[in-house]
Amino acid sequence: MELFFSLMVFILGLIVGSFLNCVIYRLENNRSFLAGRSFCPKCQHVLAWYDLIPVFSFLALKGKCRYCRKKISIQYPLVELATGILFVLVYDVLMSDIPQMSDILTFVVIPFLVVIFVYDLKHYLIPDKIIYPAIGVTLIYDLCLGFTKSTLILG
């Protein structure tokens, strides 16, 4: 049963990683990541749902766009895999007991850190559009963690 939950968390991480790739690409090009469908960065063709299956679509298409046959950056499957692995590691470490709010917020912090890492790696820059929300989420995380620690000490 534990393996099943770890697999589900890994798949969730792959899906989140796929979304993070979209966020990273659209940040680079000053586009909203909330509007519009995913498309090939080279030919601008809107991608079908089966082209968006994390890692598997990349492998099935041999790292090339289905429509223009140009190479897809290795960043896409690497970010998806890294996010999936991070989710599983956090799940295995933090969720062994009854999950606390701070444990759950860790799954919100991870995507921010992945976007910051990849964007900074590519551009040597961390955009304010990511930093300010990340600071807000981290503040909430710290408040929950502080509340959890004080509850453990007092209770």
Side-chain angles (χ1 to χ4, degrees):
M1 194 62 158
E2 187 65 31
L3 181 63
F4 172 77
F5 284 118
S6 291
L7 182 62
M8 290 297 108
V9 169
F10 179 71
I11 291 170
L12 175 64
L14 290 177
I15 293 167
V16 170
S18 181
F19 174 71
L20 296 180
N21 277 318
C22 171
V23 170
I24 293 163
Y25 175 79
R26 292 183 185 198
L27 272 172
E28 293 170 343
N29 295 287
N30 290 322
R31 294 180 176 209
S32 170
F33 62 87
L34 297 174
R37 303 249 336 252
S38 293
F39 55 88
C40 171
K42 306 276 183 359
C43 69
Q44 309 297 311
H45 192 282
V46 174
L47 302 176
W49 67 268
Y50 45 83
D51 295 324
L52 299 173
I53 300 170
V55 180
F56 298 108
S57 292
F58 183 86
L59 294 174
L61 294 170
K62 297 179 182 150
K64 295 181 180 179
C65 172
R66 178 184 308 275
Y67 307 99
C68 67
R69 305 302 302 157
K70 292 191 177 154
K71 285 185 116 178
I72 299 170
S73 171
I74 192 72
Q75 169 197 319
Y76 291 93
L78 289 179
V79 168
E80 293 163 356
L81 284 170
T83 307
I85 291 167
L86 285 169
F87 270 42
V88 168
L89 290 173
V90 167
Y91 172 77
D92 286 345
V93 170
L94 295 180
M95 301 301 185
S96 57
D97 296 323
I98 298 170
Q100 303 293 320
M101 180 59 112
S102 60
D103 298 339
I104 294 166
L105 280 172
T106 302
F107 288 102
V108 177
V109 172
I110 289 170
F112 281 106
L113 295 175
V114 169
V115 170
I116 289 168
F117 175 78
V118 174
Y119 199 92
D120 187 37
L121 191 65
K122 290 176 76 174
H123 304 286
Y124 303 104
L125 178 72
I126 302 173
D128 291 343
K129 289 180 181 180
I130 295 299
I131 284 296
Y132 293 141
I135 290 170
V137 168
T138 304
L139 179 64
I140 293 167
Y141 177 88
D142 284 342
L143 290 172
C144 290
L145 187 62
F147 178 73
T148 304
K149 283 183 179 177
S150 64
T151 305
L152 292 173
I153 293 168
L154 298 174

mmCIF file with all atom_site columns, all heavy atoms in Angstrom, residues 136-153:
data_model
loop_
_atom_site.group_PDB
_atom_site.id
_atom_site.type_symbol
_atom_site.label_atom_id
_atom_site.label_alt_id
_atom_site.label_comp_id
_atom_site.label_asym_id
_atom_site.label_entity_id
_atom_site.label_seq_id
_atom_site.pdbx_PDB_ins_code
_atom_site.Cartn_x
_atom_site.Cartn_y
_atom_site.Cartn_z
_atom_site.occupancy
_atom_site.B_iso_or_equiv
_atom_site.pdbx_formal_charge
_atom_site.auth_seq_id
_atom_site.auth_comp_id
_atom_site.auth_asym_id
_atom_site.auth_atom_id
_atom_site.pdbx_PDB_model_num
ATOM 1   N N   . GLY A 1 136 ? 5.865  34.849 0.481  1.00 0.00 ? 136 GLY A N   1
ATOM 2   C CA  . GLY A 1 136 ? 4.560  34.751 1.154  1.00 0.00 ? 136 GLY A CA  1
ATOM 3   C C   . GLY A 1 136 ? 4.243  33.332 1.600  1.00 0.00 ? 136 GLY A C   1
ATOM 4   O O   . GLY A 1 136 ? 3.825  33.104 2.743  1.00 0.00 ? 136 GLY A O   1
ATOM 5   N N   . VAL A 1 137 ? 4.461  32.371 0.724  1.00 0.00 ? 137 VAL A N   1
ATOM 6   C CA  . VAL A 1 137 ? 4.203  30.972 1.066  1.00 0.00 ? 137 VAL A CA  1
ATOM 7   C C   . VAL A 1 137 ? 5.151  30.511 2.170  1.00 0.00 ? 137 VAL A C   1
ATOM 8   O O   . VAL A 1 137 ? 4.737  29.804 3.103  1.00 0.00 ? 137 VAL A O   1
ATOM 9   C CB  . VAL A 1 137 ? 4.331  30.068 -0.193 1.00 0.00 ? 137 VAL A CB  1
ATOM 10  C CG1 . VAL A 1 137 ? 4.357  28.604 0.179  1.00 0.00 ? 137 VAL A CG1 1
ATOM 11  C CG2 . VAL A 1 137 ? 3.196  30.355 -1.156 1.00 0.00 ? 137 VAL A CG2 1
ATOM 12  N N   . THR A 1 138 ? 6.397  30.927 2.089  1.00 0.00 ? 138 THR A N   1
ATOM 13  C CA  . THR A 1 138 ? 7.372  30.540 3.104  1.00 0.00 ? 138 THR A CA  1
ATOM 14  C C   . THR A 1 138 ? 7.026  31.157 4.457  1.00 0.00 ? 138 THR A C   1
ATOM 15  O O   . THR A 1 138 ? 7.182  30.512 5.498  1.00 0.00 ? 138 THR A O   1
ATOM 16  C CB  . THR A 1 138 ? 8.795  30.953 2.680  1.00 0.00 ? 138 THR A CB  1
ATOM 17  O OG1 . THR A 1 138 ? 9.059  30.375 1.400  1.00 0.00 ? 138 THR A OG1 1
ATOM 18  C CG2 . THR A 1 138 ? 9.834  30.482 3.660  1.00 0.00 ? 138 THR A CG2 1
ATOM 19  N N   . LEU A 1 139 ? 6.513  32.371 4.457  1.00 0.00 ? 139 LEU A N   1
ATOM 20  C CA  . LEU A 1 139 ? 6.078  33.008 5.702  1.00 0.00 ? 139 LEU A CA  1
ATOM 21  C C   . LEU A 1 139 ? 4.939  32.205 6.331  1.00 0.00 ? 139 LEU A C   1
ATOM 22  O O   . LEU A 1 139 ? 4.955  31.931 7.541  1.00 0.00 ? 139 LEU A O   1
ATOM 23  C CB  . LEU A 1 139 ? 5.647  34.455 5.434  1.00 0.00 ? 139 LEU A CB  1
ATOM 24  C CG  . LEU A 1 139 ? 5.141  35.233 6.646  1.00 0.00 ? 139 LEU A CG  1
ATOM 25  C CD1 . LEU A 1 139 ? 6.251  35.394 7.677  1.00 0.00 ? 139 LEU A CD1 1
ATOM 26  C CD2 . LEU A 1 139 ? 4.629  36.597 6.220  1.00 0.00 ? 139 LEU A CD2 1
ATOM 27  N N   . ILE A 1 140 ? 3.978  31.818 5.516  1.00 0.00 ? 140 ILE A N   1
ATOM 28  C CA  . ILE A 1 140 ? 2.872  30.984 6.010  1.00 0.00 ? 140 ILE A CA  1
ATOM 29  C C   . ILE A 1 140 ? 3.411  29.656 6.526  1.00 0.00 ? 140 ILE A C   1
ATOM 30  O O   . ILE A 1 140 ? 3.014  29.174 7.591  1.00 0.00 ? 140 ILE A O   1
ATOM 31  C CB  . ILE A 1 140 ? 1.819  30.760 4.902  1.00 0.00 ? 140 ILE A CB  1
ATOM 32  C CG1 . ILE A 1 140 ? 1.125  32.082 4.565  1.00 0.00 ? 140 ILE A CG1 1
ATOM 33  C CG2 . ILE A 1 140 ? 0.802  29.697 5.306  1.00 0.00 ? 140 ILE A CG2 1
ATOM 34  C CD1 . ILE A 1 140 ? 0.298  32.048 3.304  1.00 0.00 ? 140 ILE A CD1 1
ATOM 35  N N   . TYR A 1 141 ? 4.337  29.084 5.795  1.00 0.00 ? 141 TYR A N   1
ATOM 36  C CA  . TYR A 1 141 ? 4.976  27.826 6.201  1.00 0.00 ? 141 TYR A CA  1
ATOM 37  C C   . TYR A 1 141 ? 5.645  27.977 7.565  1.00 0.00 ? 141 TYR A C   1
ATOM 38  O O   . TYR A 1 141 ? 5.469  27.155 8.460  1.00 0.00 ? 141 TYR A O   1
ATOM 39  C CB  . TYR A 1 141 ? 5.998  27.422 5.130  1.00 0.00 ? 141 TYR A CB  1
ATOM 40  C CG  . TYR A 1 141 ? 6.801  26.189 5.434  1.00 0.00 ? 141 TYR A CG  1
ATOM 41  C CD1 . TYR A 1 141 ? 6.335  24.933 5.082  1.00 0.00 ? 141 TYR A CD1 1
ATOM 42  C CD2 . TYR A 1 141 ? 8.043  26.272 6.067  1.00 0.00 ? 141 TYR A CD2 1
ATOM 43  C CE1 . TYR A 1 141 ? 7.074  23.793 5.351  1.00 0.00 ? 141 TYR A CE1 1
ATOM 44  C CE2 . TYR A 1 141 ? 8.788  25.140 6.341  1.00 0.00 ? 141 TYR A CE2 1
ATOM 45  C CZ  . TYR A 1 141 ? 8.293  23.905 5.977  1.00 0.00 ? 141 TYR A CZ  1
ATOM 46  O OH  . TYR A 1 141 ? 9.021  22.777 6.244  1.00 0.00 ? 141 TYR A OH  1
ATOM 47  N N   . ASP A 1 142 ? 6.428  29.050 7.720  1.00 0.00 ? 142 ASP A N   1
ATOM 48  C CA  . ASP A 1 142 ? 7.125  29.276 8.984  1.00 0.00 ? 142 ASP A CA  1
ATOM 49  C C   . ASP A 1 142 ? 6.145  29.508 10.132 1.00 0.00 ? 142 ASP A C   1
ATOM 50  O O   . ASP A 1 142 ? 6.376  29.043 11.251 1.00 0.00 ? 142 ASP A O   1
ATOM 51  C CB  . ASP A 1 142 ? 8.086  30.454 8.875  1.00 0.00 ? 142 ASP A CB  1
ATOM 52  C CG  . ASP A 1 142 ? 9.348  30.115 8.113  1.00 0.00 ? 142 ASP A CG  1
ATOM 53  O OD1 . ASP A 1 142 ? 9.640  28.901 7.966  1.00 0.00 ? 142 ASP A OD1 1
ATOM 54  O OD2 . ASP A 1 142 ? 10.037 31.035 7.658  1.00 0.00 ? 142 ASP A OD2 1
ATOM 55  N N   . LEU A 1 143 ? 5.054  30.227 9.872  1.00 0.00 ? 143 LEU A N   1
ATOM 56  C CA  . LEU A 1 143 ? 4.052  30.445 10.909 1.00 0.00 ? 143 LEU A CA  1
ATOM 57  C C   . LEU A 1 143 ? 3.415  29.129 11.334 1.00 0.00 ? 143 LEU A C   1
ATOM 58  O O   . LEU A 1 143 ? 3.212  28.878 12.526 1.00 0.00 ? 143 LEU A O   1
ATOM 59  C CB  . LEU A 1 143 ? 2.983  31.427 10.426 1.00 0.00 ? 143 LEU A CB  1
ATOM 60  C CG  . LEU A 1 143 ? 3.439  32.869 10.264 1.00 0.00 ? 143 LEU A CG  1
ATOM 61  C CD1 . LEU A 1 143 ? 2.349  33.696 9.605  1.00 0.00 ? 143 LEU A CD1 1
ATOM 62  C CD2 . LEU A 1 143 ? 3.842  33.471 11.602 1.00 0.00 ? 143 LEU A CD2 1
ATOM 63  N N   . CYS A 1 144 ? 3.105  28.268 10.361 1.00 0.00 ? 144 CYS A N   1
ATOM 64  C CA  . CYS A 1 144 ? 2.536  26.954 10.681 1.00 0.00 ? 144 CYS A CA  1
ATOM 65  C C   . CYS A 1 144 ? 3.542  26.084 11.420 1.00 0.00 ? 144 CYS A C   1
ATOM 66  O O   . CYS A 1 144 ? 3.200  25.390 12.369 1.00 0.00 ? 144 CYS A O   1
ATOM 67  C CB  . CYS A 1 144 ? 2.060  26.240 9.414  1.00 0.00 ? 144 CYS A CB  1
ATOM 68  S SG  . CYS A 1 144 ? 0.610  26.980 8.686  1.00 0.00 ? 144 CYS A SG  1
ATOM 69  N N   . LEU A 1 145 ? 4.792  26.135 10.995 1.00 0.00 ? 145 LEU A N   1
ATOM 70  C CA  . LEU A 1 145 ? 5.827  25.347 11.644 1.00 0.00 ? 145 LEU A CA  1
ATOM 71  C C   . LEU A 1 145 ? 6.045  25.824 13.075 1.00 0.00 ? 145 LEU A C   1
ATOM 72  O O   . LEU A 1 145 ? 6.172  25.020 13.991 1.00 0.00 ? 145 LEU A O   1
ATOM 73  C CB  . LEU A 1 145 ? 7.138  25.430 10.853 1.00 0.00 ? 145 LEU A CB  1
ATOM 74  C CG  . LEU A 1 145 ? 8.274  24.533 11.321 1.00 0.00 ? 145 LEU A CG  1
ATOM 75  C CD1 . LEU A 1 145 ? 7.864  23.063 11.203 1.00 0.00 ? 145 LEU A CD1 1
ATOM 76  C CD2 . LEU A 1 145 ? 9.524  24.782 10.510 1.00 0.00 ? 145 LEU A CD2 1
ATOM 77  N N   . GLY A 1 146 ? 6.025  27.149 13.268 1.00 0.00 ? 146 GLY A N   1
ATOM 78  C CA  . GLY A 1 146 ? 6.153  27.703 14.615 1.00 0.00 ? 146 GLY A CA  1
ATOM 79  C C   . GLY A 1 146 ? 4.995  27.293 15.495 1.00 0.00 ? 146 GLY A C   1
ATOM 80  O O   . GLY A 1 146 ? 5.162  26.929 16.657 1.00 0.00 ? 146 GLY A O   1
ATOM 81  N N   . PHE A 1 147 ? 3.790  27.300 14.925 1.00 0.00 ? 147 PHE A N   1
ATOM 82  C CA  . PHE A 1 147 ? 2.610  26.888 15.676 1.00 0.00 ? 147 PHE A CA  1
ATOM 83  C C   . PHE A 1 147 ? 2.697  25.409 16.030 1.00 0.00 ? 147 PHE A C   1
ATOM 84  O O   . PHE A 1 147 ? 2.386  25.015 17.148 1.00 0.00 ? 147 PHE A O   1
ATOM 85  C CB  . PHE A 1 147 ? 1.339  27.164 14.867 1.00 0.00 ? 147 PHE A CB  1
ATOM 86  C CG  . PHE A 1 147 ? 0.086  26.728 15.554 1.00 0.00 ? 147 PHE A CG  1
ATOM 87  C CD1 . PHE A 1 147 ? -0.407 27.440 16.634 1.00 0.00 ? 147 PHE A CD1 1
ATOM 88  C CD2 . PHE A 1 147 ? -0.582 25.593 15.122 1.00 0.00 ? 147 PHE A CD2 1
ATOM 89  C CE1 . PHE A 1 147 ? -1.568 27.023 17.282 1.00 0.00 ? 147 PHE A CE1 1
ATOM 90  C CE2 . PHE A 1 147 ? -1.725 25.171 15.774 1.00 0.00 ? 147 PHE A CE2 1
ATOM 91  C CZ  . PHE A 1 147 ? -2.227 25.898 16.848 1.00 0.00 ? 147 PHE A CZ  1
ATOM 92  N N   . THR A 1 148 ? 3.151  24.610 15.092 1.00 0.00 ? 148 THR A N   1
ATOM 93  C CA  . THR A 1 148 ? 3.284  23.160 15.333 1.00 0.00 ? 148 THR A CA  1
ATOM 94  C C   . THR A 1 148 ? 4.303  22.894 16.422 1.00 0.00 ? 148 THR A C   1
ATOM 95  O O   . THR A 1 148 ? 4.075  22.100 17.329 1.00 0.00 ? 148 THR A O   1
ATOM 96  C CB  . THR A 1 148 ? 3.697  22.434 14.035 1.00 0.00 ? 148 THR A CB  1
ATOM 97  O OG1 . THR A 1 148 ? 2.765  22.730 13.023 1.00 0.00 ? 148 THR A OG1 1
ATOM 98  C CG2 . THR A 1 148 ? 3.754  20.940 14.236 1.00 0.00 ? 148 THR A CG2 1
ATOM 99  N N   . LYS A 1 149 ? 5.446  23.588 16.376 1.00 0.00 ? 149 LYS A N   1
ATOM 100 C CA  . LYS A 1 149 ? 6.482  23.382 17.401 1.00 0.00 ? 149 LYS A CA  1
ATOM 101 C C   . LYS A 1 149 ? 5.993  23.828 18.770 1.00 0.00 ? 149 LYS A C   1
ATOM 102 O O   . LYS A 1 149 ? 6.226  23.142 19.758 1.00 0.00 ? 149 LYS A O   1
ATOM 103 C CB  . LYS A 1 149 ? 7.758  24.136 17.022 1.00 0.00 ? 149 LYS A CB  1
ATOM 104 C CG  . LYS A 1 149 ? 8.569  23.461 15.948 1.00 0.00 ? 149 LYS A CG  1
ATOM 105 C CD  . LYS A 1 149 ? 9.847  24.230 15.690 1.00 0.00 ? 149 LYS A CD  1
ATOM 106 C CE  . LYS A 1 149 ? 10.665 23.533 14.623 1.00 0.00 ? 149 LYS A CE  1
ATOM 107 N NZ  . LYS A 1 149 ? 11.872 24.284 14.295 1.00 0.00 ? 149 LYS A NZ  1
ATOM 108 N N   . SER A 1 150 ? 5.310  24.973 18.824 1.00 0.00 ? 150 SER A N   1
ATOM 109 C CA  . SER A 1 150 ? 4.837  25.425 20.132 1.00 0.00 ? 150 SER A CA  1
ATOM 110 C C   . SER A 1 150 ? 3.748  24.498 20.669 1.00 0.00 ? 150 SER A C   1
ATOM 111 O O   . SER A 1 150 ? 3.641  24.306 21.872 1.00 0.00 ? 150 SER A O   1
ATOM 112 C CB  . SER A 1 150 ? 4.324  26.868 20.059 1.00 0.00 ? 150 SER A CB  1
ATOM 113 O OG  . SER A 1 150 ? 3.194  26.948 19.220 1.00 0.00 ? 150 SER A OG  1
ATOM 114 N N   . THR A 1 151 ? 2.945  23.920 19.807 1.00 0.00 ? 151 THR A N   1
ATOM 115 C CA  . THR A 1 151 ? 1.934  22.971 20.237 1.00 0.00 ? 151 THR A CA  1
ATOM 116 C C   . THR A 1 151 ? 2.596  21.725 20.816 1.00 0.00 ? 151 THR A C   1
ATOM 117 O O   . THR A 1 151 ? 2.157  21.192 21.830 1.00 0.00 ? 151 THR A O   1
ATOM 118 C CB  . THR A 1 151 ? 1.016  22.568 19.051 1.00 0.00 ? 151 THR A CB  1
ATOM 119 O OG1 . THR A 1 151 ? 0.471  23.736 18.483 1.00 0.00 ? 151 THR A OG1 1
ATOM 120 C CG2 . THR A 1 151 ? -0.098 21.659 19.503 1.00 0.00 ? 151 THR A CG2 1
ATOM 121 N N   . LEU A 1 152 ? 3.675  21.286 20.175 1.00 0.00 ? 152 LEU A N   1
ATOM 122 C CA  . LEU A 1 152 ? 4.382  20.100 20.663 1.00 0.00 ? 152 LEU A CA  1
ATOM 123 C C   . LEU A 1 152 ? 5.040  20.371 22.016 1.00 0.00 ? 152 LEU A C   1
ATOM 124 O O   . LEU A 1 152 ? 5.041  19.514 22.892 1.00 0.00 ? 152 LEU A O   1
ATOM 125 C CB  . LEU A 1 152 ? 5.436  19.654 19.653 1.00 0.00 ? 152 LEU A CB  1
ATOM 126 C CG  . LEU A 1 152 ? 4.906  19.093 18.337 1.00 0.00 ? 152 LEU A CG  1
ATOM 127 C CD1 . LEU A 1 152 ? 6.083  18.847 17.379 1.00 0.00 ? 152 LEU A CD1 1
ATOM 128 C CD2 . LEU A 1 152 ? 4.148  17.792 18.562 1.00 0.00 ? 152 LEU A CD2 1
ATOM 129 N N   . ILE A 1 153 ? 5.574  21.565 22.192 1.00 0.00 ? 153 ILE A N   1
ATOM 130 C CA  . ILE A 1 153 ? 6.249  21.900 23.447 1.00 0.00 ? 153 ILE A CA  1
ATOM 131 C C   . ILE A 1 153 ? 5.236  22.049 24.578 1.00 0.00 ? 153 ILE A C   1
ATOM 132 O O   . ILE A 1 153 ? 5.428  21.527 25.672 1.00 0.00 ? 153 ILE A O   1
ATOM 133 C CB  . ILE A 1 153 ? 7.089  23.189 23.280 1.00 0.00 ? 153 ILE A CB  1
ATOM 134 C CG1 . ILE A 1 153 ? 8.247  22.922 22.316 1.00 0.00 ? 153 ILE A CG1 1
ATOM 135 C CG2 . ILE A 1 153 ? 7.619  23.684 24.622 1.00 0.00 ? 153 ILE A CG2 1
ATOM 136 C CD1 . ILE A 1 153 ? 8.964  24.177 21.858 1.00 0.00 ? 153 ILE A CD1 1
#
